[in-house]
Amino acid sequence: MRISSMTVHPLAVADPPLRSSYGRHAPYALRTLVVLKTTDGIAGYAEAHGGDGPLAAFEALKPLVVGMDPFQLSSLWRMWGRPDQSGDRSQTWMVPGENPRDARTRSYAAIEAACLDIIGKAIRKPVCDVVGGRAREAAPFSAYLFYKHGGGGGLGGDVREDEYGECLTPESMVRQARQMIARYGFKEIKLKGGVLDPEAEIETVRLLRAEFGPSYPLRIDPNCAWSVETSVKVGVALKEELSGGGYLEDPTAGLDGMAAVRQRLLAAGVDTPLASNVAVTGFDDLVPARELDAVQVVLSDPHYWGGIRATQRMGDVCELLGMGVSMHSNNHLGLSMMIMAHACLATPQMEFACDTHYPWQTEQDEIIAGGRVQFVGGAIPVPAKPGLGVEIDFDQVARLEERYHKLPYRKRDDEAEMRKHVDPNWKRLLPRW
Amino acid sequence: MRISSMTVHPLAVADPPLRSSYGRHAPYALRTLVVLKTTDGIAGYAEAHGGDGPLAAFEALKPLVVGMDPFQLSSLWRMWGRPDQSGDRSQTWMVPGENPRDARTRSYAAIEAACLDIIGKAIRKPVCDVVGGRAREAAPFSAYLFYKHGGGGGLGGDVREDEYGECLTPESMVRQARQMIARYGFKEIKLKGGVLDPEAEIETVRLLRAEFGPSYPLRIDPNCAWSVETSVKVGVALKEELSGGGYLEDPTAGLDGMAAVRQRLLAAGVDTPLASNVAVTGFDDLVPARELDAVQVVLSDPHYWGGIRATQRMGDVCELLGMGVSMHSNNHLGLSMMIMAHACLATPQMEFACDTHYPWQTEQDEIIAGGRVQFVGGAIPVPAKPGLGVEIDFDQVARLEERYHKLPYRKRDDEAEMRKHVDPNWKRLLPRW
């Protein structure tokens, strides 16, 4: 069995005006669908970061991928050699998917996912069983709450219903959480912070705790918006609320900053774990992060750490280093949902519910045949179908691809959206508070 | 597909009177053959450590294994929980296969190998491709030289031809090396030391270097027989001979001892890597060994590190920690030969030729159908057949099993052999020199 063709589809997916320390989400998020076909007629799919950069990277890969045996993933990886690990170790100033340090792991991850989809379909096993067997029967995700402006995403005649409404206060965030949990059954909560004044975000977390009680672990992630000082202040204020399975994610920039926050929190009697997907973005960051005690929970992401098997390896390394494992998410469709679910299913150490932006997208933009992936009690069960467990609706792909080509932008720019809609002089400031 | 039966065969394998710091090999080495059969009629095989201890461990496992889906290896592993890592971290005083710390990883490794054999046969792929794809086309092994008494192994009317003769001097070791390399084509050399006076072992290494030249990397492994002082002396004396891909393996006992040797060698301008399979025997030893700079090359062993996927994980961890990877061997037959070969084939970081005792066993004791596994230029190529790539000759198994039941011992005891044949008062002394 050989790969006989590789096609790549750029996609534009309607996205509500979510806020973070990066700025404001544009009306469409960019994704890429990778389709591999084999000589025996099996198709394997993967979803990856979007925009012209990833697209060009995939085009450049075709000569390596077409003709390969989908089982020979180790050889494919070695053809790239070791990724470039020089330069700044963090992606503080970059959105995930832009970091040149993980350009190769990002491209490889998509090819691996599509090859594992092919293998699973060929041997009639779900991907989690192809890579060593499921570590759990369902992959738990958390309610990923965002401060947001009114609007459901899309432009012109193509706007989506605004399911959650404007949400720029602590009280409206509780409403958003209630609504999302009622619909999907999530059992853990993550709040994207770094948007309102820290006092208002503390208040938001407190209201969420009051509403859901201590059985719902709570996390907050301001994406480096805070100084060490502010991070410590928030950590101390939320000592109780972030306990019991919660964490404080990337409160401040850089491993040194994170280490300083940790040290001062411990001195203040607060052992809330610090989590990161900004100060730690690849394997080479793990040992330094551990040595500095800068990070206690690492957010994996099969899309940029190098795939599903890389997520398993990362789980093993984190276990050895005494670090916990969670999972980061970008805007994504149902195919990435399944890649993330299989990565979680196959990684025993993934003991925190994973992030997902999936509730922010709609059926209208889904490329999965038969409609959206369904959560059961906030989790994605091992699918009944082999491979990743889903097939693609190519009419939908054509619609999303046509929309991509009509868009004036080819790269995520949350700052530009802020300047357009909120403040013509807006700039990302780190630390802002 | 489910496992429908598990049978376990104890085997006694003729073994020449090889010497090490543990003493002298008995006339028969003990091994175990594990046979799993599935509901669709596929048989999977594994070879493991031998004796009544491993046998009882496998019997105890049957209720977990029979009925399982061979793809659900992660679940099987989790049913055991984390191995007990308490107590002494090294197995200085134990032969491999006896350490209670790796009792669970040893049993799991055999079940994993047999399940991967089944999966490979079911999907018609070699095991190395089942676990992510081959990292190389052939697994290189080294000429594993031993000081030995005369005799080819076996007892009474069942003795083997003594292919290599007595070898208790530097000169006769060169003859042994020439003979073994001529027959198998090995391109790297490992000498089991800790037997003669260190001066004689230094002389042996020098003669080997003179005979084969610097293109044959040389290693020496005295199994902790030396003090720190002696280890440093040997390391300095063999600076040139152990350079270029060589290493000094477990010269002295314990991580602290190894760290002291390393420090003093570096101070003397000798950067020969220290290797270990005694001070480091499991995942939890890796970070401490690195922190102390006690070990620069770790000897994996799929039999006791937890299998083929565990060997891959170990390779990943060692790469991250900046440590090299090699492979340890015990006496074994062709089935373990294939388990070791697939572990090496599937582990990119395995950049040193692996150890193997295989040349010390004979066709007469082989349980592989069709005869012994063949080396090509000192390496085992990816086999053409699926799974581990071999089938079993159950007439041979019956002969080796019958012999096991006739033996008066059920556990390896190299000290007892020394007392019987060499010195009635012999005791293992560490350090001896």
Side-chain angles (χ1 to χ4, degrees):
Chain A
M1 180 166 62
R2 299 270 157 186
I3 306 293
S4 52
S5 74
M6 171 174 170
T7 50
V8 184
H9 302 270
L11 309 172
V13 182
D15 194 23
L18 307 181
R19 288 284 301 273
S20 74
S21 86
Y22 291 97
R24 173 182 158 134
H25 284 206
Y28 294 96
L30 309 181
R31 300 294 287 169
T32 306
L33 169 68
V34 177
V35 180
L36 303 183
K37 289 196 175 151
T38 71
T39 44
D40 21 0
I42 298 175
Y45 306 113
E47 183 184 336
H49 296 93
D52 282 359
L55 220 54
F58 287 122
E59 289 297 337
L61 267 180
K62 279 188 184 173
L64 285 186
V65 173
V66 175
M68 77 172 270
D69 168 357
F71 282 87
Q72 302 306 339
L73 288 160
S74 182
S75 303
L76 178 68
W77 174 247
R78 283 176 308 117
M79 280 192 273
W80 265 291
R82 284 269 293 165
D84 179 12
Q85 296 290 347
S86 58
D88 184 5
R89 288 197 161 273
S90 87
Q91 57 185 30
T92 307
W93 290 96
M94 288 171 280
V95 292
E98 275 191 0
N99 193 336
R101 282 180 69 221
D102 55 39
R104 279 185 287 197
T105 48
R106 270 184 276 133
S107 302
Y108 175 80
I111 306 301
E112 188 216 44
C115 286
L116 290 175
D117 191 26
I118 287 168
I119 293 171
K121 287 167 174 167
I123 73 174
R124 306 208 54 74
K125 290 282 172 187
V127 163
C128 56
D129 291 351
V130 171
V131 297
R134 60 198 74 174
R136 49 188 64 83
E137 291 300 321
F141 288 83
S142 61
Y144 198 172
L145 312 178
F146 282 80
Y147 296 107
K148 67 181 283 293
H149 299 278
L155 278 176
D158 184 49
V159 296
R160 304 288 168 279
E161 192 196 337
D162 185 8
E163 184 181 353
Y164 294 96
E166 181 184 278
C167 180
L168 290 166
T169 63
E171 294 72 21
S172 55
M173 190 60 85
V174 175
R175 179 175 45 74
Q176 183 187 111
R178 269 201 302 260
Q179 210 178 322
M180 196 180 282
I181 285 173
R183 175 155 180 193
Y184 297 101
F186 298 122
K187 296 182 170 60
E188 309 190 23
I189 295 170
K190 162 145 163 184
L191 172 64
K192 177 60 79 183
V195 176
L196 306 185
D197 185 273
E199 288 304 323
E201 299 197 347
I202 289 172
E203 178 62 12
T204 305
V205 173
R206 288 195 172 140
L207 290 183
L208 289 167
R209 183 65 148 203
E211 175 76 17
F212 295 98
S215 70
Y216 282 74
L218 280 169
R219 290 133 207 177
I220 181 166
D221 170 21
N223 286 117
C224 314
W226 303 335
S227 65
V228 170
E229 191 67 36
T230 302
S231 303
V232 172
K233 209 180 69 181
V234 177
V236 169
L238 295 176
K239 174 180 176 173
E240 171 53 30
E241 290 77 2
L242 300 182
S243 68
Y247 51 68
L248 183 56
E249 181 180 334
D250 286 313
T252 201
L255 286 180
D256 290 338
M258 295 283 281
V261 173
R262 172 68 170 170
Q263 215 168 9
R264 289 179 53 184
L265 282 177
L266 285 178
V270 178
D271 67 352
T272 303
L274 300 188
S276 180
N277 76 292
V278 177
V280 173
T281 60
F283 282 94
D284 285 3
D285 299 327
L286 293 173
V287 174
R290 180 68 196 84
E291 281 172 354
L292 291 168
D293 194 23
V295 174
Q296 291 75 50
V297 178
V298 184
L299 279 82
S300 62
D301 184 330
H303 298 92
Y304 67 84
W305 278 77
I308 290 172
R309 284 191 172 112
T311 306
Q312 294 181 300
R313 289 200 294 270
M314 183 205 161
D316 290 319
V317 174
C318 286
E319 182 179 344
L320 266 192
L321 296 176
M323 299 159 101
V325 185
S326 185
M327 193 188 287
H328 163 267
S329 150
N330 263 125
N331 280 102
H332 62 87
L333 294 168
L335 187 56
S336 274
M337 188 78 251
M338 295 314 298
I339 293 172
M340 294 159 73
H342 282 282
C344 172
L345 290 166
T347 305
Q349 298 87 354
M350 195 77 67
E351 286 179 351
F352 295 91
C354 304
D355 293 352
T356 175
H357 285 65
Y358 203 52
W360 296 106
Q361 270 58 61
T362 68
E363 182 86 29
Q364 217 174 318
D365 292 275
E366 187 53 271
I367 58 167
I368 297 301
R372 304 197 85 204
V373 176
Q374 296 301 311
F375 289 91
V376 180
I380 307 286
V382 175
K385 289 182 189 157
L388 290 168
V390 291
E391 289 296 327
I392 300 298
D393 175 342
F394 280 95
D395 290 341
Q396 277 289 80
V397 171
R399 276 191 281 275
L400 272 61
E401 189 167 356
E402 191 189 338
R403 205 187 287 144
Y404 178 94
H405 290 299
K406 286 185 184 155
L407 281 186
Y409 55 92
R410 290 287 178 268
K411 188 169 176 299
R412 177 175 164 184
D413 187 348
D414 292 15
E415 259 184 339
E417 289 298 310
M418 282 297 282
R419 286 196 285 267
K420 196 185 297 178
H421 299 285
V422 182
D423 172 356
N425 298 311
W426 199 86
K427 259 184 73 71
R428 189 172 186 223
L429 282 180
L430 296 185
R432 184 172 298 276
W433 291 281
Chain B
M1 179 165 63
R2 298 271 158 187
I3 306 292
S4 53
S5 74
M6 169 173 170
T7 50
V8 184
H9 302 271
L11 309 172
V13 183
D15 195 22
L18 306 181
R19 288 284 301 275
S20 75
S21 87
Y22 290 97
R24 172 181 157 134
H25 283 204
Y28 294 96
L30 309 181
R31 300 295 286 171
T32 306
L33 169 68
V34 177
V35 180
L36 302 184
K37 288 195 175 151
T38 72
T39 45
D40 19 359
I42 298 175
Y45 306 113
E47 183 185 337
H49 295 94
D52 282 358
L55 218 55
F58 286 122
E59 289 297 338
L61 267 180
K62 280 189 184 172
L64 286 186
V65 173
V66 175
M68 77 173 270
D69 168 357
F71 282 87
Q72 301 307 338
L73 288 160
S74 183
S75 303
L76 179 69
W77 174 246
R78 283 176 309 119
M79 281 193 272
W80 267 291
R82 283 271 291 165
D84 179 12
Q85 297 289 348
S86 59
D88 184 6
R89 289 197 161 272
S90 88
Q91 57 184 29
T92 306
W93 291 96
M94 288 170 280
V95 291
E98 275 190 359
N99 194 336
R101 284 179 70 221
D102 55 40
R104 279 185 286 196
T105 47
R106 270 184 276 132
S107 302
Y108 175 80
I111 307 300
E112 189 218 42
C115 287
L116 291 175
D117 191 26
I118 288 167
I119 293 171
K121 286 167 174 167
I123 72 174
R124 306 208 54 76
K125 289 282 172 187
V127 163
C128 57
D129 291 351
V130 171
V131 296
R134 61 198 73 174
R136 49 187 65 81
E137 292 300 321
F141 288 83
S142 60
Y144 198 173
L145 311 179
F146 281 81
Y147 296 107
K148 67 181 283 292
H149 299 279
L155 277 176
D158 184 48
V159 295
R160 303 289 168 279
E161 191 198 338
D162 185 8
E163 185 180 351
Y164 294 96
E166 181 184 278
C167 179
L168 290 166
T169 62
E171 294 72 20
S172 55
M173 190 61 85
V174 175
R175 179 175 43 74
Q176 184 186 111
R178 269 200 302 260
Q179 209 177 321
M180 196 180 281
I181 286 173
R183 174 153 181 195
Y184 297 100
F186 297 122
K187 296 183 170 60
E188 309 191 22
I189 295 170
K190 162 145 162 183
L191 171 65
K192 177 60 79 182
V195 175
L196 306 185
D197 185 274
E199 288 304 324
E201 299 197 349
I202 289 171
E203 178 61 13
T204 305
V205 173
R206 288 195 172 142
L207 291 183
L208 289 168
R209 183 64 149 203
E211 175 75 16
F212 296 98
S215 71
Y216 280 74
L218 280 169
R219 290 132 206 177
I220 180 166
D221 170 21
N223 285 119
C224 314
W226 302 334
S227 65
V228 170
E229 191 67 36
T230 303
S231 304
V232 172
K233 209 180 70 181
V234 177
V236 169
L238 295 176
K239 174 180 175 173
E240 171 53 31
E241 289 79 1
L242 301 181
S243 67
Y247 50 69
L248 182 56
E249 181 180 334
D250 287 312
T252 200
L255 286 181
D256 290 339
M258 295 283 281
V261 173
R262 172 68 170 170
Q263 216 169 8
R264 288 179 53 185
L265 282 177
L266 285 178
V270 178
D271 67 351
T272 303
L274 300 188
S276 181
N277 76 294
V278 177
V280 172
T281 60
F283 282 93
D284 285 4
D285 300 327
L286 293 174
V287 173
R290 180 69 197 82
E291 280 172 354
L292 292 167
D293 195 22
V295 174
Q296 292 75 49
V297 177
V298 185
L299 278 82
S300 62
D301 184 330
H303 298 92
Y304 67 83
W305 279 76
I308 291 172
R309 283 192 172 109
T311 306
Q312 294 181 299
R313 290 200 293 270
M314 183 206 160
D316 289 318
V317 174
C318 286
E319 181 178 345
L320 266 191
L321 295 176
M323 299 159 100
V325 185
S326 186
M327 192 188 289
H328 163 266
S329 151
N330 263 125
N331 280 103
H332 63 86
L333 294 169
L335 188 55
S336 273
M337 187 78 251
M338 294 313 298
I339 293 172
M340 294 158 74
H342 282 283
C344 171
L345 289 166
T347 304
Q349 298 87 355
M350 195 80 66
E351 287 179 352
F352 295 91
C354 304
D355 294 352
T356 175
H357 285 64
Y358 203 52
W360 297 105
Q361 270 58 60
T362 67
E363 183 85 30
Q364 217 175 319
D365 293 276
E366 187 52 271
I367 58 169
I368 297 301
R372 307 197 83 206
V373 176
Q374 297 301 313
F375 289 90
V376 179
I380 308 285
V382 176
K385 290 181 188 159
L388 290 169
V390 292
E391 289 296 327
I392 300 298
D393 176 342
F394 280 96
D395 291 340
Q396 276 290 79
V397 171
R399 276 191 281 277
L400 272 61
E401 190 167 355
E402 192 189 339
R403 204 186 288 146
Y404 179 94
H405 290 300
K406 285 185 184 155
L407 280 187
Y409 57 90
R410 288 287 177 268
K411 188 169 174 302
R412 177 175 164 184
D413 188 348
D414 292 13
E415 259 184 338
E417 290 297 311
M418 282 297 282
R419 286 196 285 266
K420 196 184 297 178
H421 299 284
V422 181
D423 173 357
N425 298 311
W426 199 86
K427 260 183 73 68
R428 189 174 186 222
L429 282 181
L430 297 185
R432 185 173 297 277
W433 292 281

